[in-house]
Amino acid sequence: MRVALIQMMVTADKARNIQTACEKLRTAARSGADIAVLPEMFCCPYQNDCFRAYGEEEGGPAQAALSALAAELGIYIIGGSIPELSEGNVYNTSCVYDRRGKLLARHRKAHLFDIDVAGGQRFRESDTLSPGNAVTTFETEFGTMGLCICFDLRFEELARCMCLRGAKVIFVPAAFNMTTGPAHWELLFRQRAVDNQCFTIGVSPARDETAGYVAYGNSIAVDPWGTVLCRAGAEDAILYADLDFTRLDAVRQQLPILSARRTDLYEVREK
């Protein structure tokens, strides 16, 4: 399964961002991608004062463009995330479209990014956003896939729930910053891949040093052994990761972590 990781620069022009995303998705399809992944908030500056202003209801312009393009290109599109407006709330939402352009899954970020790191970054998503309340997986001809957004990845219980549902890959549109990125980005993607013996895919916006929130970039793909398959730098880039699921089966056979769990002592329960 070929995955395209689309690391793109996000501007203050929503229409231009959507156009850029579509251009890069076309490039990914020409390069044989089965699944193409956009970054978190790919059409919106990552700022609290922008989320509602750039938000859209179901079927809005970003969603309509990605749905139509998935059908035209015949690929799966994981639409990064957008600010979604619903019943007066704003959610950080990732939409997945199948090869016919049908909405296959929707994940609303469950863990909101409220941090205050001494000498580093301070940000409170909960000032504007509402949390989602679901573990999100979806089915493809390649098997079950998992989906979460950015800060969600820090919570092993969520990743384990996706894994126990059968997820072979955990996709993570994300925008770590220049404090958390250098410290934890690669560490977390490798850790979740090893813990759950699955592939992990993280896709970030490109780094814009002039932005109010500076994304780390470094989009990444990791295999179930914790090996980094590809990793971007700070700039605009499209990376390709060819995922061999026999590798997943081999790792799980060699190190029987999942089958050796002591569920008589502990278990993870979904609500």
Side-chain angles (χ1 to χ4, degrees), residues 59-110:
Q63 297 165 76
L66 298 185
S67 174
L69 200 58
E72 177 190 334
L73 301 175
I75 64 172
Y76 293 91
I77 293 176
I78 298 177
S81 78
I82 62 169
E84 176 203 9
L85 306 179
S86 179
E87 297 181 345
N89 295 323
V90 187
Y91 298 96
N92 185 343
T93 300
S94 181
C95 296
V96 182
Y97 301 94
D98 69 13
R99 295 184 188 272
R100 296 172 296 172
K102 179 183 177 182
L103 181 65
L104 188 58
R106 176 189 286 113
H107 178 75
R108 291 170 171 170
K109 190 174 187 177

Side-chain angles (χ1 to χ4, degrees), residues 111-266:
H111 302 89
L112 298 182
F113 185 58
D114 287 358
I115 67 159
D116 191 355
V117 178
Q121 186 79 22
R122 183 183 187 279
F123 199 90
R124 287 185 55 82
E125 282 188 330
S126 65
D127 288 346
T128 306
L129 300 175
S130 296
N133 296 297
V135 177
T136 304
T137 56
F138 58 95
E139 300 300 321
T140 72
E141 69 266 32
F142 303 104
T144 304
M145 305 293 152
L147 176 65
C148 64
I149 299 173
C150 202
F151 198 48
D152 285 338
L153 186 67
R154 290 186 177 271
F155 299 86
E156 163 58 13
E157 300 91 336
L158 184 66
R160 179 51 54 90
C161 285
M162 289 186 276
C163 175
L164 293 178
R165 286 187 180 181
K168 296 180 176 181
V169 186
I170 297 176
F171 292 99
V172 192
F176 278 35
N177 58 56
M178 295 305 296
T179 299
T180 59
H184 299 148
W185 176 262
E186 181 177 316
L187 175 67
L188 279 167
F189 280 95
R190 296 182 69 189
Q191 182 177 331
R192 292 292 168 261
V194 171
D195 286 346
N196 297 288
Q197 299 186 306
C198 65
F199 292 92
T200 56
I201 305 287
V203 182
S204 168
R207 190 180 308 166
D208 179 0
E209 299 284 358
T210 69
Y213 180 99
V214 181
Y216 180 53
N218 284 269
S219 295
I220 192 169
V222 181
D223 83 357
W225 191 255
T227 302
V228 176
L229 301 177
C230 60
R231 180 172 172 173
E235 69 289 338
D236 262 34
I238 303 178
L239 305 182
Y240 297 93
D242 293 309
L243 308 189
D244 179 358
F245 292 120
T246 63
R247 176 67 170 157
L248 181 150
D249 296 332
V251 168
R252 290 184 176 184
Q253 184 176 22
Q254 293 164 29
L255 288 174
I257 294 173
L258 297 176
S259 61
R261 289 181 306 116
R262 287 289 304 275
T263 54
D264 58 319
L265 295 178
Y266 52 78

